[in-house]
Amino acid sequence: MTSAFPCLVLHLPSSRFMGRFEKLGSCCKRVRKGVRLQCTSRAVDPNAAGGKLTTLGKTSLKVSKLGVGTLQWGDPGSGFGDKYVEEDLGNAFDELVKGGINFFDTAEVYGYQGIPSGKSAEQMIGRFLLRQAIQEASKASLSPKIATKFFTIPWTNFLVGGGFRLGRKSLLDALTASLKRLGKSKIDLYQMEEAADLLAQYRVPLASNQVKYSLLSRKAEEEGLLKVCKERSITLIAYSPLESGLLSAKTFQRKDRRALQVQPLLRTLEKIGQESGGKSITQVALNYLVCKGALPIPGCKTTNQAKEHCGVLDWRLEADQVAALDQEAKLLKA
């Protein structure tokens, strides 16, 4: 049964910060227009829409099995304004939605340097959502689902505008500011940097847990977090799934120690890609995480990258291929 407040979802448990959220429940109870809590246990068929979709935790949100992270959108330190501009990101956004990717992960601080000029990640995504091409695509397929984040660090407002961040009201103020930048009346997934099982006391289920997870960073799997997430119907969102481009064909051109170390794994990824109809190393590495039950969110700044990411959704690795990659990853760690 769905609650009367269908759609704010908090994520990422951390018992170290429990004290900071002792009054979170009363904050949730005070939620009003624009902030909606998702409290539903209705299951949605994960094989819907040709197997390209999955259900986000215990919510009713249908999202693509692979999303996109926007950490670098609007960030001059990552080349924004020099190597790529808003038009490039907008074209990539259109291509992603057209190809079936509808989950976009952002945050109030992504590209914060551009907030005064309207060039932060949230602000640009807001404009992309209004583009006629996206509006038309949404009628034929799935509308984009936006996940953004609230940071509990008191001085966060000095980056995004405002004063010192303290108390329950700061959460609502941050959400209101994100809604304004995105040009939306509600946010599909709202993530706090730290949250805990305390939420269960107020019947607010944890929808997702965002952690670093890739073939080269397997702590989430090795320490049992992935297993627990599956058992509790919590979606594990995997950031840095390509290790900043290390898991790509470009690494063959590098001669540094780390690049040479991972080449056996890259050759296995390349071989499996050839066996799978000519898929790239990147596509195999991402599909591996999908097969593990995670929702990877690689970065994307160009239409070529967008097309490559969309090509992950229409196939699935065989069990023996996943096992082969498991073995290579273990040998690499050893």
Side-chain angles (χ1 to χ4, degrees):
M1 179 177 179
T2 305
S3 76
F5 301 102
C7 231
L8 159 71
V9 188
L10 312 175
H11 95 118
L12 199 54
S14 175
S15 58
R16 292 188 300 123
F17 296 91
M18 282 291 287
R20 200 178 293 180
F21 295 101
E22 290 176 353
K23 297 182 180 180
L24 179 60
S26 58
C27 176
C28 292
K29 291 178 180 178
R30 296 171 56 235
V31 170
R32 293 293 185 268
K33 183 178 179 181
V35 189
R36 302 177 179 181
L37 296 178
Q38 186 80 25
C39 300
T40 175
S41 59
R42 181 172 64 85
V44 178
D45 181 7
N47 294 315
K52 293 185 178 183
L53 303 180
T54 188
T55 305
L56 191 71
K58 291 183 179 180
T59 76
S60 59
L61 290 175
K62 299 177 183 179
V63 298
S64 48
K65 292 184 177 180
L66 181 140
V68 162
T70 64
L71 174 64
Q72 297 179 332
W73 291 18
D75 178 18
S78 299
F80 181 75
D82 180 18
K83 297 179 180 178
Y84 60 98
V85 295
E86 181 173 346
E87 183 179 2
D88 298 320
L89 299 177
N91 291 337
F93 188 92
D94 288 352
E95 190 65 39
L96 289 163
V97 176
K98 177 182 176 182
I101 292 178
N102 75 333
F103 184 72
F104 296 85
D105 179 87
T106 189
E108 58 178 348
V109 298
Y110 289 178
Y112 70 88
Q113 302 94 326
I115 289 179
S117 60
K119 296 289 186 178
S120 71
E122 285 186 331
Q123 290 167 318
M124 288 189 286
I125 290 173
R127 288 192 288 274
F128 301 159
L129 291 170
L130 293 176
R131 291 166 68 115
Q132 186 62 37
I134 294 301
Q135 292 175 351
E136 293 177 356
S138 298
K139 297 175 184 177
S141 58
L142 291 173
S143 61
K145 301 297 187 296
I146 309 301
T148 194
K149 305 179 191 71
F150 164 84
F151 286 80
T152 58
I153 300 172
W155 53 87
T156 301
N157 265 10
F158 295 126
L159 300 179
V160 300
F164 212 60
R165 179 171 287 178
L166 290 173
R168 299 189 298 268
K169 187 175 179 295
S170 64
L171 186 155
L172 301 180
D173 290 343
L175 175 59
T176 299
S178 283
L179 286 169
K180 183 177 180 180
R181 287 189 290 269
L182 288 163
K184 291 173 65 71
S185 61
K186 71 174 184 178
I187 289 172
D188 302 295
L189 176 65
Y190 194 48
Q191 306 167 94
M192 301 184 68
E193 183 162 289
E194 298 98 14
D197 289 341
L198 171 66
L199 294 173
Q201 299 176 23
Y202 300 92
R203 298 181 181 180
V204 181
L206 195 64
S208 62
N209 188 356
Q210 188 173 138
V211 298
K212 186 174 183 179
Y213 181 35
S214 75
L215 269 164
L216 297 177
S217 299
R218 294 160 49 84
K219 186 176 179 180
E221 183 176 353
E222 295 168 344
E223 296 188 354
L225 178 60
L226 179 62
K227 181 176 181 290
V228 170
C229 284
K230 289 180 179 179
E231 292 172 347
R232 298 188 180 185
S233 297
I234 297 170
T235 297
L236 189 145
I237 300 176
Y239 74 82
S240 293
L242 299 174
E243 295 289 334
S244 300
L246 189 60
L247 293 174
S248 72
K250 292 182 179 179
T251 302
F252 282 128
Q253 302 170 14
R254 292 168 46 180
K255 302 300 180 183
D256 57 280
R257 183 169 177 268
R258 183 56 170 160
L260 295 175
Q261 284 180 332
V262 302
Q263 286 198 12
L265 174 60
L266 295 179
R267 284 192 288 270
T268 300
L269 288 165
E270 185 176 51
K271 178 176 180 294
I272 290 175
Q274 293 170 350
E275 297 171 348
S276 302
K279 297 296 182 180
S280 69
I281 289 174
T282 291
Q283 288 174 322
V284 176
L286 292 173
N287 198 280
Y288 169 86
L289 297 178
V290 172
C291 290
K292 288 287 185 175
L295 196 167
I297 50 169
C300 182
K301 300 190 290 288
T302 68
T303 54
N304 286 338
Q305 289 177 329
K307 290 177 181 178
E308 187 172 27
H309 291 344
C310 291
V312 176
L313 298 175
D314 57 2
W315 64 292
R316 190 177 180 87
L317 291 170
E318 299 293 338
D320 62 331
Q321 294 173 324
V322 172
L325 290 171
D326 282 336
Q327 183 62 25
E328 281 291 344
K330 290 177 182 177
L331 290 174
L332 186 61
K333 185 176 181 180

